[in-house]
């Protein structure tokens, strides 16, 4: 099992988030969205594969599970909405998180791939590049790691 610190550091490094709190928030967003698309046995398999710190996100995902929202676009919207991100940025975050967990547990990766619709396979592929961030109000490019007035990276803010 991957450690919490290693998972967050890997996600922060791959997504160029300067703040481990933002990377931690991104991990939780992705895991909650993913777990809401899993049946109970696969959710339990995922729970066993992630550090204890990440498990509340899985419980939240189970509580909000919605069988009608099984598309990849729905999952990406669930990640993008609270982060104030585009769907391309949400896909990048999701790939960074899922690939780190899958690399540590190939049985889990195979189990999840067999349970999810085929379009979810892209989550298990290493992302090609960091998508360009844009400022919400102005739609101007924002540098990776750009922060808002509170110092929080914009792409991982859970309250947006």
């Amino acid at each position: 099992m991957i450690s919490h610190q290693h998972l967050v550091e890997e996600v922060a490094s791959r997504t160029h988030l300067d703040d481990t709190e933002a990377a931690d928030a991104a991990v939780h967003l992705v895991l909650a969205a993913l777990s809401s698309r899993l049946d109970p046995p696969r959710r339990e398999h995922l729970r066993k594969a992630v550090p204890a710190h990440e498990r509340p996100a899985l419980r939240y995902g189970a509580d909000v599970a919605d069988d009608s929202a099984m598309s990849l676009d729905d999952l990406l919207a669930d990640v993008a909405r609270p982060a104030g991100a585009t769907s391309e940025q949400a896909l990048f975050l999701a790939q960074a998180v899922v690939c780190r967990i899958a690399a540590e547990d190939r049985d889990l990766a195979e189990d999840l791939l067999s349970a999810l619709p085929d379009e979810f396979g892209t989550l298990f592929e290493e992302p090609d590049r960091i998508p360009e961030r844009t400022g919400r109000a102005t739609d101007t490019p924002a540098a990776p790691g750009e922060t808002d007035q509170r110092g929080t990276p914009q792409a991982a803010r859970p309250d947006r």
Side-chain angles (χ1 to χ4, degrees), residues 1-2 41-51 55 58 105 108:
M1 172 191 329
I2 192 168
R42 297 217 171 65
R43 195 176 296 122
E44 177 63 16
H45 193 172
L46 179 59
R47 188 191 72 76
K48 290 178 180 177
V50 299
R55 292 179 185 157
L58 302 180
D105 189 334
L108 172 68

Side-chain angles (χ1 to χ4, degrees), residues 49-104:
V50 299
H53 181 81
E54 274 66 58
R55 292 179 185 157
L58 302 180
R59 282 192 296 277
Y60 176 80
D63 291 344
V64 299
D66 179 5
D67 290 337
S68 66
M70 274 299 287
S71 76
L72 179 61
D73 287 341
D74 292 327
L75 180 141
L76 296 178
D78 287 350
V79 172
R81 197 173 12 263
T86 66
S87 59
E88 182 182 31
Q89 292 164 347
L91 175 60
F92 187 84
L93 287 172
Q95 287 174 316
V97 172
V98 171
C99 285
R100 298 295 56 78
I101 294 168
E104 295 289 324

Side-chain angles (χ1 to χ4, degrees), residues 10-11 13-16 87-100 121-131:
E10 284 285 310
V11 169
S13 172
R14 291 173 189 278
T15 59
H16 294 273
S87 59
E88 182 182 31
Q89 292 164 347
L91 175 60
F92 187 84
L93 287 172
Q95 287 174 316
V97 172
V98 171
C99 285
R100 298 295 56 78
T122 191
L123 297 178
F124 296 82
E125 299 169 6
E126 288 288 343
D128 292 330
R129 62 177 184 78
I130 298 174

Side-chain angles (χ1 to χ4, degrees), residues 11-36:
V11 169
S13 172
R14 291 173 189 278
T15 59
H16 294 273
L17 291 171
D18 297 330
D19 181 339
T20 56
E21 287 182 29
D24 184 55
V27 168
H28 282 128
L29 283 172
V30 170
L31 290 176
L34 180 61
S35 71
S36 72

